[in-house]
Amino acid sequence: MTRCNESFKRVLDVEGSEFEYYPVSQVPGTDRLPYALTVLVENALRCVEGESAALDCVQRIVDAGLAGVPGEEIEFSPSRVLFQDFTGVPVFVDFAVMREACAQIGGDPARINPQIPCDLVIDHSVIADEAGSTSAIDRNMELEFQRNAERYRFLKWAQDSFRNVRIVPPGSGICHQLNIEKFAQIAMVRDAEGNVCDASDVCGCDATSRPVAYFDTLVGTDSHTPTANGIGVLGWGVGGIEAEAAALGQPITTLVPRVVGVRLTGELSGSVSAMDVALRFAQMLRSRGVVGCFVECFGSGLDSLSATQRACISNMTPEYGSTCTLFPVDGRTLDFFRMTGRSDRQVALVEAYAKAQGLWHDAGAERVYSEVIELDLSQVSASMSGPSRPHDRFDLSDAKERFEALRLERGLSSDERSVVTIDGVRHELAHGAVAIAAITSCTTAADPRMMLAAGLAARNAERAGLKPQPWVKCVFAPGSHAGTEILDRAGLLGSLRSVGFFNCGYGCMSCIGNSGPIKPEMHEVCDRIELASVLSGNRNFEGRISPDVSQNYLMQPAAVIVYAIAGTVDFDFESEPLGVDLKGNSVFARDLMPSAEELDELVERFVTAQAYSEGAVGMFEGTRAWRSLDVSPSSVFSWDGESTYVRRPPYFDGMGADPAPSEAPCCARVLAKLGDFITTDHISPAGSIAAGSPAALYLESHGVKSADFNTLGARRGNHEVMMRGTFANVKLMNELAAGRKGGWSLDFSDGRVKPLFDVSESYRSSCVPSIVVAGKMYGSGSSRDWAAKGPMLLGVRAVIAESFERIHRSNLVGMGVLPLQFAEGQNAETLGLTGEESYTVAPVDFSNGLPEPRVVSVSARRDDGCEVLFDAIVRVDTPTEGRYMQHGGILQYVLRSLASK
């Protein structure tokens, strides 16, 4: 093991065993820092190379933290990386091609290997093709393997061919739930040889063999990686390209963040759930403006929240734009660790380490925050949000009123009706009819209290003789086998089935758009009335859940069951009955929702260590289909030229050992002119591949039948498909597309509106660079690296926007795409920009790291010769990012760095 920054080390005694560690208390002022910055201080003391450089980095953290302001650039080296398969496949594809490129420029391909533990969970590929039957889970998994065998074979090769890689096969659960139930450690341990190990596996008997204890931290290629913040593990979502660099041992550079504190008091009442708190957080913190900040929670209210309730709240972090939402460690955290099978020695280490390092919750401590927001948990009410943004929260009791306001806003007639005939019965439906009701997602599935509440609501509905309306597709996707084990032990799985919620498979499903087809009769009317979905997830962006659904609402799982029975979101929770029971009495929503006392009893009886232990059996073994995948490890991957899933990407083609001079866009054309809140779903959708689209035509040309298209998310290992799917969201409104929604644009070379991919090819053939012009919060939503990779491969050289979402801006830099931000108070509208101009950006020099100049001149010239000149801020925020831009992207920078050693 490399001995680093030795003078900072001290010895920590844990029940007679000695561990070396890097105490933050040796740095003055750290006792008043927010918990999250304490973790960053330890990381710098341990990981920044050279004691002087480490102390400089630490001082930047302390100075900014005690001043309550953002600070200068620091390095952060996560302890591990978490992947899901949609984003993980392209990462390992990149690793495979990097090995080839490394050899081509004179390096050792063996250096291209993860240096820290990497866990990949296959959870994004299963689709609810079948629902509402006992055969649903088996049939969906069968179809999953039929569609994804190529991808899964590649992932199995990656596990066998790269060090420090662990793959969780399909059918095991959702990555964030498995992360908190099994992977997260809070305090990690390396033995004297530098190997990561469990606290139970090391002795620490003498000074030469003492293991090193350090904070468990992570980055993940999914926006909802902050779920682990709920159990005291600092981590956040990054793009796949940044995760690749971290896995290869490169530190992540970031500015010291502003830290916002949320003081929690009181406790939740009645049937109010952690999901209701999470939606309140999204609304409250989005309005306060915490984009790019760290958020952390403290106060007496923590005592009333379980670890999984905290994880639910932290899971919603990306929906208000902050980097993390950290909860400190306390007795509730240790209870969860014991419950989920962590060893007694690991629990003892976590307690001792958290107390020694200041991560243990101390309600009386005076910590410095840039601001403190107060939230009394007793004032949180049962909530939902929608129809297209998680922070648009409202009380369940106001749902009918909010729907009416939306109907008027969208000009939807209250008299509009469409008739569907299902099983021989005619039903007259109006706007707001529920097409999909899904109990799904890492947000709620990880909290057994909410899942038990759903089971009790189903039981109460069953006893009253109520069922979902026949036009509703009911999806149930648990987050781990422990979740279903708990429901089964409580005798509630049968009740869920009785109201149509059969297990469809273990994965994200509806929350990422894998709802499968809605009922054919509903598809026929989706253009005549606005259909709705209700789900217990974290994302409800337009077009995400289903292309046939116009309104998407987030809520706790029990409320999903209520809406499935109501069959419409045009429904008053308080006054309208859901139906009549077997005795003819009216049944209201409140009659289905369980009491807090009933839930307390079930949690006490059935949420046990034995249930979690049983649920984890065979997690890494997989099904017979997984075990039958025959692969052999090798240093270089053998690309299959006929594959439509895994293809060799062109990122390193023609790359030399030294970077070529960068050139700013000159006479560039606008490929897409977009509005506010363009999400990564709009830029790089993960859902189905539309017939007749460029991606569909490509697959058909390679012999793929439409039934086997799979989803864009599943095809992320094939850059040819992903390029053609960029900006192809069916709900995208490109102002250059003459009113056509979806992946269309105007080709200025001939004046015709064409598929956007065809326009990009036209510009490429004429050597014309392209740009994107957008409004506020460009790239919000999932941490999707293809939302940066796709535009780069289409020839986009710069994005000019009013503001950027944090991760997406970083991803653009990582792919060498220049992010430019309009000056304060300016945007395309105020400058009179239509997107029909040709744009020239003045040169930007990155040779010294930070861009020179920081504010660059942009010329937009109209065809009549008139010119609009304006300034734009170069959003390359750190010297390291500048080096990435100089090299053409982070992958090129890392590859050259490794090859030169």
Side-chain angles (χ1 to χ4, degrees):
M1 177 179 180
T2 301
R3 294 287 173 176
C4 181
N5 302 346
E6 290 289 310
S7 71
F8 301 148
K9 286 184 179 178
R10 302 291 186 272
V11 175
L12 176 69
D13 183 276
V14 181
E15 297 182 344
S17 294
E18 291 186 340
F19 295 82
E20 291 182 343
Y21 77 121
Y22 293 77
V24 300
S25 58
Q26 62 192 293
V27 180
T30 52
D31 59 323
R32 298 177 60 229
L33 286 179
Y35 296 106
L37 296 190
T38 298
V39 177
L40 294 185
V41 167
E42 186 274 340
N43 194 272
L45 288 172
R46 176 170 47 86
C47 298
V48 174
E49 190 171 346
E51 295 187 357
S52 177
L55 289 175
D56 286 344
C57 187
V58 165
Q59 200 58 52
R60 289 196 287 273
I61 299 170
V62 174
D63 289 346
L66 295 182
V69 297
E72 299 175 59
E73 182 184 47
I74 60 169
E75 291 184 358
F76 169 67
S77 297
S79 304
R80 54 193 178 91
V81 183
L82 179 68
F83 299 98
Q84 38 94 336
D85 59 300
F86 270 17
T87 51
V89 167
V91 165
F92 286 96
V93 167
D94 290 352
F95 284 166
V97 77
M98 283 177 80
R99 280 189 168 180
E100 294 180 14
C102 187
Q104 291 169 7
I105 62 174
D108 178 6
R111 296 192 65 85
I112 308 301
N113 241 317
Q115 304 298 302
I116 57 177
C118 294
D119 287 306
L120 187 150
V121 179
I122 301 175
D123 62 2
H124 271 51
S125 295
V126 64
I127 301 172
D129 291 284
E130 185 170 321
S133 68
T134 54
S135 62
I137 183 171
D138 292 333
R139 179 57 179 158
N140 291 335
M141 286 199 68
E142 179 186 355
L143 290 171
E144 178 185 1
F145 268 88
Q146 287 178 13
R147 294 171 177 139
N148 297 286
E150 279 186 59
R151 297 170 65 239
Y152 293 170
R153 192 173 291 111
F154 171 76
L155 286 174
K156 213 171 182 187
W157 169 85
Q159 177 177 248
D160 295 341
S161 301
F162 291 102
R163 294 195 303 271
N164 291 319
V165 176
R166 185 168 58 174
I167 306 285
V168 178
S172 298
I174 302 175
C175 63
H176 305 303
Q177 185 161 342
L178 297 182
N179 189 29
I180 65 170
E181 290 180 0
K182 289 298 167 189
F183 305 155
Q185 298 297 312
I186 301 177
M188 292 183 69
V189 176
R190 282 188 182 271
D191 63 22
E193 284 71 46
N195 302 307
V196 176
C197 54
D198 187 89
S200 300
D201 298 331
V202 291
C203 175
C205 302
D206 59 71
T208 60
S209 64
R210 286 194 198 110
V212 175
Y214 56 99
F215 277 122
D216 177 10
T217 57
L218 79 155
V219 292
T221 58
D222 189 275
S223 300
H224 298 95
T225 300
T227 305
N229 299 166
I231 62 169
V233 174
L234 182 63
W236 56 82
V238 297
I241 45 185
E242 198 169 10
E244 290 176 39
L248 293 171
Q250 296 293 307
I252 290 173
T253 60
T254 182
L255 301 177
V256 180
R258 183 169 74 93
V259 184
V260 175
V262 178
R263 189 197 318 273
L264 299 176
T265 57
E267 57 184 77
L268 300 178
S269 58
S271 59
V272 176
S273 70
M275 180 62 162
D276 301 310
V277 184
L279 294 177
R280 180 69 173 271
F281 263 60
Q283 179 188 46
M284 175 178 72
L285 293 173
R286 177 64 76 178
S287 68
R288 295 294 282 264
V290 296
V291 173
C293 296
F294 279 15
V295 172
E296 66 180 43
C297 300
F298 65 99
S300 59
L302 265 65
D303 295 340
S304 67
L305 295 175
S306 69
T308 52
Q309 287 177 312
R310 299 172 190 180
C312 171
I313 296 165
S314 295
N315 176 276
M316 198 62 71
T317 294
E319 316 325 327
Y320 40 89
S322 74
T323 304
C324 64
T325 303
L326 185 67
F327 285 78
V329 176
D330 63 4
R332 289 278 200 155
T333 319
L334 301 186
D335 290 344
F336 179 71
F337 259 40
R338 294 187 186 96
M339 184 86 67
T340 50
R342 272 72 168 196
S343 67
D344 290 342
R345 194 163 180 189
Q346 179 66 32
V347 173
L349 173 63
V350 167
E351 181 173 7
Y353 188 78
K355 288 179 176 177
Q357 293 285 50
L359 190 62
W360 190 265
H361 182 231
D362 180 357
E366 292 293 329
R367 298 180 183 271
V368 177
Y369 297 101
S370 66
E371 66 174 310
V372 173
I373 299 170
E374 307 281 346
L375 179 62
D376 182 349
L377 294 173
S378 68
Q379 298 303 305
V380 176
S381 52
S383 307
M384 59 192 286
S385 76
S388 62
R389 296 188 302 189
H391 60 270
D392 289 336
R393 187 210 70 86
F394 51 91
D395 289 353
L396 275 173
S397 58
D398 296 332
K400 188 176 180 69
E401 180 182 330
R402 289 294 291 265
F403 175 80
E404 178 64 17
L406 177 70
R407 188 186 62 75
L408 294 173
E409 177 187 322
R410 295 189 174 182
L412 306 175
S413 170
S414 59
D415 298 325
E416 184 71 42
R417 295 291 185 273
S418 289
V419 174
V420 297
T421 301
I422 300 175
D423 296 331
V425 180
R426 296 175 78 253
H427 304 276
E428 197 173 77
L429 305 182
H431 294 295
V434 174
I436 298 170
I439 299 174
T440 180
S441 172
C442 49
T443 312
T444 53
D447 179 32
R449 187 180 185 90
M450 268 192 285
M451 300 306 289
L452 287 168
L456 288 171
R459 184 205 63 187
N460 294 340
E462 179 186 25
R463 289 176 176 175
L466 300 181
K467 298 217 178 258
Q469 296 299 333
W471 57 84
V472 181
K473 180 176 184 177
C474 297
V475 176
F476 176 38
S480 76
H481 286 264
T484 44
E485 184 71 22
I486 290 167
L487 285 167
D488 192 30
R489 287 166 180 251
L492 297 174
L493 275 181
S495 295
L496 284 164
R497 295 187 191 109
S498 76
V499 293
F501 286 87
F502 291 80
N503 189 344
C504 293
Y506 294 89
C508 303
M509 283 202 185
S510 295
C511 197
I512 58 158
N514 285 358
S515 304
I518 62 174
K519 299 205 172 185
E521 300 86 352
M522 299 295 279
H523 174 73
E524 292 299 317
V525 302
C526 69
D527 291 330
R528 298 197 292 274
I529 58 173
E530 286 201 359
L531 302 180
S533 75
V534 293
L535 65 151
S536 60
N538 47 46
R539 290 276 163 83
N540 58 344
F541 303 135
E542 187 179 22
R544 180 182 178 95
I545 309 305
S546 166
D548 293 336
V549 172
S550 299
Q551 302 175 25
N552 305 300
Y553 296 91
L554 307 179
M555 60 195 67
Q556 62 164 293
V560 169
I561 291 174
V562 171
Y563 271 110
I565 295 169
T568 177
V569 292
D570 185 10
F571 169 73
D572 192 321
F573 244 68
E574 299 294 320
S575 62
E576 291 186 49
L578 290 165
V580 294
D581 64 17
L582 301 177
K583 297 180 180 179
N585 301 313
S586 293
V587 180
F588 295 87
R590 59 179 173 271
D591 298 322
L592 302 191
M593 303 299 276
S595 68
E597 293 73 22
E598 193 172 16
L599 278 172
D600 289 341
E601 180 187 353
L602 289 190
V603 168
E604 180 69 25
R605 289 177 59 194
F606 299 112
V607 182
T608 63
Q610 186 179 10
Y612 279 103
S613 176
E614 287 290 324
V617 171
M619 185 173 73
F620 291 101
E621 296 175 7
T623 62
R624 179 182 300 174
W626 173 263
R627 294 193 299 271
S628 68
L629 294 174
D630 186 25
V631 296
S632 299
S634 59
S635 60
V636 178
F637 184 66
S638 297
W639 304 99
D640 179 359
E642 299 302 313
S643 174
T644 57
Y645 275 100
V646 179
R647 294 185 72 84
R648 183 185 180 280
Y651 308 131
F652 307 107
D653 290 356
M655 190 189 93
D658 298 307
S662 60
E663 296 180 0
C666 180
C667 299
R669 281 298 192 175
V670 178
L671 191 60
K673 184 173 183 293
L674 307 168
D676 296 337
F677 290 99
I678 294 299
T679 70
T680 52
D681 277 316
H682 287 116
I683 305 167
S684 182
S688 58
I689 298 171
S693 67
L697 295 176
Y698 166 85
L699 290 171
E700 287 171 348
S701 72
H702 285 72
V704 180
K705 298 177 182 178
S706 59
D708 299 323
F709 281 174
N710 210 329
T711 64
L712 284 164
R715 296 278 180 181
R716 284 180 181 164
N718 183 342
H719 64 281
E720 297 285 2
V721 173
M722 297 309 295
M723 289 167 62
R724 290 162 172 80
T726 300
F727 294 114
N729 187 303
V730 295
K731 301 292 185 180
L732 180 73
M733 180 59 76
N734 181 357
E735 294 175 25
L736 300 178
R740 296 190 71 165
K741 282 189 175 183
W744 299 87
S745 191
L746 175 63
D747 186 344
F748 290 101
S749 64
D750 62 14
R752 294 165 54 200
V753 172
K754 304 175 182 176
L756 186 141
F757 173 76
D758 294 348
V759 176
S760 74
E761 288 294 284
S762 172
Y763 293 159
R764 185 196 309 279
S765 66
S766 302
C767 297
V768 175
S770 61
I771 67 168
V772 171
V773 177
K776 299 183 183 74
M777 287 301 293
Y778 179 77
S780 56
S782 301
S783 57
R784 192 163 294 172
D785 58 331
W786 267 108
K789 286 180 174 178
M792 184 275 291
L793 290 174
L794 293 181
V796 172
R797 301 281 301 283
V799 176
I800 309 174
E802 277 191 77
S803 62
F804 294 89
E805 191 275 339
R806 175 187 64 85
I807 298 175
H808 186 63
R809 184 204 61 79
S810 174
N811 282 348
L812 289 174
V813 171
M815 292 310 298
V817 177
L818 184 64
L820 299 174
Q821 187 166 306
F822 287 110
E824 185 69 29
Q826 291 187 342
N827 55 37
E829 185 177 358
T830 63
L831 292 168
L833 303 175
T834 65
E836 297 179 2
E837 308 84 2
S838 63
Y839 288 72
T840 296
V841 179
V844 182
D845 180 16
F846 295 103
S847 60
N848 293 320
L850 287 172
E852 297 177 7
R854 300 298 302 273
V855 177
V856 69
S857 176
V858 181
S859 164
R861 185 177 294 275
R862 302 189 179 104
D863 290 342
D864 61 7
C866 293
E867 185 178 30
V868 178
L869 292 174
F870 61 95
D871 289 338
I873 303 164
V874 182
R875 287 299 314 279
V876 177
D877 294 347
T878 70
T880 300
E881 287 185 344
R883 287 188 282 275
Y884 298 158
M885 290 296 298
Q886 184 184 21
H887 281 259
I890 190 173
L891 300 182
Q892 291 83 349
Y893 171 80
V894 171
L895 180 55
R896 288 188 178 107
S897 299
L898 291 174
S900 66
K901 292 182 180 180

